[in-house]
Amino acid sequence: MHNVLELHHDLAAGIYQHGGYHHFKISDPKPRDIHKASVRDRMVHHALYRQLYSFFDSTFINDSYSCRKEKGTHRAVNRFRSFAYQVSKNNTCTCWILKCDIRKFFASIDHRVLMEIISVYIPDIRTRALIANIVSSFCATPGVAQIGLPLGNLTSQLLVNIYMNEFDQLAKHKLKAKHYIRYADDFVILSVNKKYLVKILPRIKTFLRNRLKLEMHPDKISIETLASGIDFLGWVHFPNHRVLRTSTKKRMFRRIEEMNKKLETISSYLGLLTHGNAHHLMTEIQRIKCLVYYMHMLYTGTGDDGKTKLFCDQQRISKSSEVPEALGALDELQAFLGLVKVKSEKESRVANALHEVQENLFIIQAEVAGAEKKIGAGAVEEMEKIIGEIEKEIPPITGFTSAGGTELSALLDVARTFTRRAERALIAAKDAEACNLSSETLAYMNRLSSLLFALARLANHLAGASEEHPRY
């Protein structure tokens, strides 16, 4: 509290002086220099930001999306898609896109130009002096004063938007760029007229250089059609879909490994992938998530109190409740199928069918535990196809049969009873509304009993063992 009161005194007396910075580097994905202010200075940043944000935000154009409330990258890419439909008239004509990037954006902000812009909006001398104090506390290049803003300051996010608002106003009101979007130092202009984009490009360069002392990155200026794929804010955009940038995919999987497959990291990336066309990627990430979850279940050692935690759920439940009972029944079935598969080494058709069943049972276990993973209708259809092929090969059923004949057939019959028990446990969990199960999952478990019965009869048929019928 003493430090806070001392800071208040310095601000009130007008003697506050911003301190130095702690410098470190990150790669996200390219190398960046981060400068972190002291806690004392960051308190001033937050206080100033709260006072200035609402006023300046009202002066910004609607299509500036960086570091603003209710904006961000997801809304920017959705706005891009909306503009693309408008310009192309729902993909009936060619949409041209001018895409630009400013070189060393934060490191190139001119302090004098920035303070000139701020002085137009803020008449209060003390407020301007405080802003100038913060701005002048940093220079991007040693020995070159009054250039650059630190990436680590909260105030920098607002100040660069104030700075670039000058260009935003030019784009909207002077260049008449109706379909213009900017996110930090990246901006695009969409138009049906390529000549218009070529014509305004020199004016953009001149304004940025002369008014804002900024230079565009020569290797990141392009005028291309939407159909060719536009790389903007991490996604490659096409007329009817968008896909994740290849470098972002690689960074995503690398980051998951670096974070030791933390569920929080995986869930974050799954959320990102919902904003584009990334079904196969989501499937792969879900597979990793399911694997992590079950490894987590094996090694936590936190279940000594008779309770457990379901998939990504913080609430702990009794191990005797419906969902753990269903998971336990599925686990018993999985384990026994492993034994049957070992015993069926000489019958590859049976072994292959059991291997596929085990794969699908893992998916069902994940679904029961709450993962966003479900059995598809194709799995049920494939099982019905196998049953149909077996029925054509073996003699027709003439009545009830007793389990036995060969060891493999008897084991398959036992597996069938495990399946029935697991199916009952799943239905009990669903009826108790303890978990949401798809109709395909319930159909799969029902057909699985039929498959195991058919495989048991096939095992006897292939071995030449006759079926026994009860005398009742």
Side-chain angles (χ1 to χ4, degrees):
M1 180 58 74
H2 170 75
N3 292 334
V4 174
L5 293 175
E6 184 179 43
L7 176 59
H8 176 269
H9 173 268
D10 290 351
L11 288 168
I15 59 174
Y16 165 78
Q17 286 297 317
H18 197 286
Y21 293 87
H22 169 62
H23 171 248
F24 58 95
K25 293 179 178 289
I26 64 169
S27 296
D28 188 31
K30 58 185 179 183
R32 297 183 187 276
D33 289 295
I34 305 298
H35 293 82
K36 179 181 177 182
S38 66
V39 173
R40 181 175 190 267
D41 293 328
R42 295 205 302 272
M43 290 178 66
V44 177
H45 298 171
H46 280 266
L48 184 63
Y49 184 89
R50 286 198 301 269
Q51 293 299 313
L52 298 181
Y53 176 82
S54 296
F55 169 74
F56 277 106
D57 189 69
S58 66
T59 69
F60 299 154
I61 65 169
N62 184 57
D63 290 311
S64 166
Y65 288 89
S66 173
C67 303
R68 295 178 64 191
K69 295 177 182 177
E70 299 183 1
K71 298 290 183 179
T73 55
H74 298 323
R75 296 201 178 190
V77 295
N78 287 340
R79 185 65 161 171
F80 181 94
R81 178 174 56 192
S82 175
F83 277 172
Y85 282 134
Q86 292 176 30
V87 172
S88 67
K89 294 182 171 58
N90 291 327
N91 299 325
T92 60
C93 59
T94 302
C95 174
W96 291 92
I97 298 163
L98 168 63
K99 180 175 177 290
C100 302
D101 178 90
I102 297 172
R103 173 184 277 174
K104 297 182 179 179
F105 181 44
F106 275 81
S108 301
I109 301 297
D110 189 287
H111 295 182
R112 282 170 291 195
V113 175
L114 175 60
M115 292 311 301
E116 286 174 10
I117 296 169
I118 288 174
S119 65
V120 174
Y121 293 96
I122 300 179
D124 184 71
I125 297 175
R126 287 168 60 88
T127 304
R128 290 207 307 266
L130 179 58
I131 297 172
N133 191 335
I134 295 172
V135 170
S136 63
S137 68
F138 175 82
C139 63
T141 305
V144 182
Q146 298 189 327
I147 299 292
L149 292 178
L151 277 172
N153 282 7
L154 175 64
T155 49
S156 296
Q157 299 173 8
L158 176 61
L159 292 175
V160 293
N161 272 337
I162 296 171
Y163 201 78
M164 285 300 292
N165 186 50
E166 299 291 296
F167 175 70
D168 295 341
Q169 300 299 330
L170 172 87
K172 285 290 188 180
H173 302 299
K174 298 291 179 62
L175 302 180
K176 304 297 181 183
K178 182 179 179 182
H179 303 100
Y180 162 82
I181 299 171
R182 182 180 64 81
Y183 187 93
D185 57 339
D186 293 322
F187 60 90
V188 292
I189 299 176
L190 294 78
S191 175
V192 73
N193 188 345
K194 181 181 180 181
K195 291 182 179 179
Y196 162 74
L197 298 177
V198 172
K199 181 181 177 181
I200 65 173
L201 183 54
R203 293 184 62 186
I204 291 173
K205 291 181 178 179
T206 299
F207 181 87
L208 289 172
R209 180 182 297 118
N210 295 344
R211 175 70 179 109
L212 299 179
K213 313 301 180 187
L214 298 174
E215 293 291 336
M216 293 171 62
H217 200 300
D219 298 330
K220 296 184 179 180
I221 301 173
S222 63
I223 300 178
E224 298 176 328
T225 64
L226 179 63
S228 67
I230 302 298
D231 189 336
F232 183 56
L233 299 183
W235 296 89
V236 180
H237 303 259
F238 294 92
N240 290 310
H241 69 287
R242 58 177 174 246
V243 296
L244 202 63
R245 183 191 295 161
T246 301
S247 60
T248 305
K249 295 178 192 176
K250 293 178 180 178
R251 186 169 73 254
M252 178 175 64
F253 284 107
R254 186 171 64 248
R255 182 65 173 166
I256 289 173
E257 290 297 325
E258 289 172 353
M259 297 301 292
N260 295 320
K261 296 186 176 69
K262 284 188 177 180
L263 288 175
E264 296 84 352
T265 303
I266 296 172
S267 297
S268 175
Y269 281 121
L270 284 172
L272 166 68
L273 295 176
T274 62
H275 293 275
N277 301 79
H279 173 73
H280 294 298
L281 267 179
M282 291 185 72
T283 300
E284 178 63 16
I285 299 297
Q286 281 284 13
R287 186 192 67 78
I288 295 173
K289 189 173 183 180
C290 292
L291 176 63
V292 171
Y293 171 67
Y294 284 111
M295 292 299 292
H296 178 72
M297 287 181 68
L298 287 171
Y299 295 115
T300 59
T302 59
D304 295 344
D305 59 352
K307 294 184 178 181
T308 188
K309 183 173 71 171
L310 297 181
F311 194 93
C312 295
D313 189 354
Q314 297 303 314
Q315 184 178 0
R316 296 179 65 78
I317 60 174
S318 171
K319 290 183 178 180
S320 65
S321 57
E322 292 86 356
V323 171
E325 283 287 352
L327 289 172
L330 288 167
D331 191 35
E332 291 172 4
L333 174 59
Q334 277 275 26
F336 194 77
L337 285 176
L339 172 63
V340 181
K341 189 168 66 173
V342 171
K343 294 291 186 179
S344 63
E345 288 179 345
K346 295 180 180 180
E347 297 294 344
S348 60
R349 289 169 60 190
V350 176
N352 291 339
L354 294 180
H355 176 76
E356 189 62 28
V357 168
Q358 286 185 304
E359 291 287 328
N360 288 324
L361 286 177
F362 271 115
I363 297 174
I364 293 175
Q365 285 177 285
E367 179 187 0
V368 173
E372 297 174 4
K373 186 78 172 175
K374 299 184 186 302
I375 281 286
V380 179
E381 293 169 1
E382 182 62 26
M383 187 182 294
E384 291 174 342
K385 179 182 176 181
I386 295 173
I387 294 172
E389 291 172 350
I390 293 174
E391 287 179 339
K392 292 177 183 178
E393 184 175 346
I394 60 179
I397 298 176
T398 59
F400 288 105
T401 59
S402 299
T406 64
E407 181 184 24
L408 177 57
S409 177
L411 289 171
L412 285 163
D413 260 320
V414 177
R416 178 180 57 80
T417 65
F418 277 121
T419 300
R420 286 298 190 195
R421 183 164 66 189
E423 182 185 9
R424 290 192 297 271
L426 288 174
I427 294 171
K430 183 177 184 298
D431 289 346
E433 298 183 351
C435 64
N436 294 317
L437 296 177
S438 66
S439 57
E440 289 81 8
T441 292
L442 295 176
Y444 186 89
M445 292 301 296
N446 189 41
R447 299 294 190 285
L448 180 53
S449 299
S450 301
L451 173 65
L452 292 171
F453 178 68
L455 287 172
R457 296 193 66 222
L458 177 65
N460 278 338
H461 175 71
L462 293 174
S466 60
E467 294 181 337
E468 295 183 2
H469 301 280
R471 297 191 302 272
Y472 72 98

